[in-house]
Amino acid sequence: MDHLQVLKRAARLALKHRALWLFGFLLALFGGSGGGGGGGNFGGGRGNYSAPPDGFPGNGGFNTPLGGLISGTDWMMILAVASVVVLLVLVLALLGIVVRAVSRAALIGMVNQIEDDGQTTLKDGRRFGWSGRAWRVFLVGLVIGIPQAVLL
């Protein structure tokens, strides 16, 4: 197999058939195999901070991890905001999985149609993207993605 020839043919197809560009862009945008990379060391040093005792005036008897620096209602607000953020991240992750599956199925179907007929359109791509094959690709991505998310 001549890999250079395959790459040249793929480049010719992509340049000639601009209908592939939208789905390719969406796949690149949401495909996100984006390079893991470990986080940095943010802080880690210990300062000379001493938490006040639990009986700190104004904590309303609510025992907080910071020993009364933040009141109970503040913790509830932080918990509510954190819950909304987590829910938003999950919805966006699910949307990304759907867009990836639709884009992959559309590109596969469109290239297959180019091989058969010589032409393709965005309408054809949408039709291929919302087919049963796309939902199978989506389910495979979901089955693989859920254990990955749990492990991370």
Side-chain angles (χ1 to χ4, degrees), residues 92-107:
L92 288 176
L94 188 63
L95 178 69
I97 292 170
V98 170
V99 170
R100 268 195 314 265
V102 168
S103 297
R104 281 185 184 142
L107 285 171

Side-chain angles (χ1 to χ4, degrees), residues 79-89:
L79 182 63
V81 169
S83 299
V84 168
V85 168
V86 166
L87 184 63
L88 183 65
V89 167

Side-chain angles (χ1 to χ4, degrees), residues 17-29 99 103 106-107 110 122 126:
H17 302 280
R18 293 186 182 151
L20 297 170
W21 292 7
L22 173 66
F23 295 105
F25 175 75
L26 289 173
L27 186 60
L29 185 64
V99 170
S103 297
L107 285 171
M110 290 169 78
L122 284 175
R126 189 188 62 189

Side-chain angles (χ1 to χ4, degrees), residues 101-109 124-138:
V102 168
S103 297
R104 281 185 184 142
L107 285 171
I108 291 168
D124 294 331
R126 189 188 62 189
R127 182 173 46 94
F128 291 129
W130 286 107
S131 66
R133 290 181 185 163
W135 291 110
R136 282 181 276 196
V137 171
F138 167 74

Side-chain angles (χ1 to χ4, degrees), residues 55-90:
F56 186 73
N59 75 351
F62 188 77
N63 193 8
T64 63
L66 295 178
L69 287 177
I70 300 176
S71 70
T73 55
D74 290 341
W75 277 110
M76 295 306 243
M77 180 60 79
I78 291 170
L79 182 63
V81 169
S83 299
V84 168
V85 168
V86 166
L87 184 63
L88 183 65
V89 167
L90 288 175

